[in-house]
């Protein structure tokens, strides 16, 4: 089975799990002026997990290249995920949530 659904589209891998850090969940992309902003839940090997953080990358060229991955939200004792992100008046608003899991 082909993984190409539309031959006119191209794809860029922006976030991908690794053996050491397999979690890439709940990706959200927003456009602010000429910047693409992508955030997702990572850290830890499962969810919920106290190692979960919200990570992000940005693109300044329409998604052809992306900045290095950085932590947007983290907590020293709780897991973090960010299910809501929106743009208003040239600002990005993100709403993180936390949970504690043994």
């Amino acid at each position: 089975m082909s993984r190409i659904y539309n031959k006119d589209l191209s794809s860029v891998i922006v976030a991908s799990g690794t053996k050491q850090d397999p979690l890439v969940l709940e990706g959200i992309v927003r456009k602010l002026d000429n910047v693409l902003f992508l955030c997702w839940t990572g850290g830890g090997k499962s969810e919920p997990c106290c190692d979960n953080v919200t990570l992000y990358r940005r693109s300044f060229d329409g998604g052809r290249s992306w900045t290095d991955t950085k932590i947007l939200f983290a907590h020293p004792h709780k897991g973090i995920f960010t299910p809501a992100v929106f743009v208003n008046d040239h600002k990005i608003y993100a709403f993180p949530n936390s949970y504690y899991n043994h």
Side-chain angles (χ1 to χ4, degrees):
M1 177 198 254
S2 173
R3 298 186 131 238
I4 299 173
Y5 301 105
N6 183 329
K7 63 181 170 62
D8 297 327
L9 297 177
S10 61
S11 62
V12 176
I13 295 174
V14 180
S16 181
T18 65
K19 194 173 208 174
Q20 295 78 24
D21 190 12
L23 204 64
V24 177
L25 299 172
E26 302 157 346
I28 299 172
V29 178
R30 296 292 181 261
K31 186 173 189 223
L32 175 64
D33 301 323
N34 293 322
V35 178
L36 290 176
F37 173 85
L38 167 68
C39 70
W40 67 94
T41 299
K45 296 188 185 289
S46 64
E47 182 191 39
C49 173
C50 289
D51 294 330
N52 295 157
V53 296
T54 299
L55 301 164
Y56 78 98
R57 296 180 81 180
R58 295 176 295 165
S59 176
F60 299 93
D61 60 7
R64 289 183 293 283
S65 64
W66 293 81
T67 61
D68 290 339
T69 300
K70 294 185 179 177
I71 294 174
L72 181 63
F73 299 115
H75 189 281
H77 308 292
K78 295 181 178 183
I80 299 288
F81 66 102
T82 305
V85 177
F86 79 97
V87 175
N88 185 44
D89 196 27
H90 304 285
K91 294 178 186 169
I92 294 177
Y93 295 86
F95 298 90
N97 291 271
S98 66
Y99 44 71
Y100 185 74
N101 184 349
H102 295 285

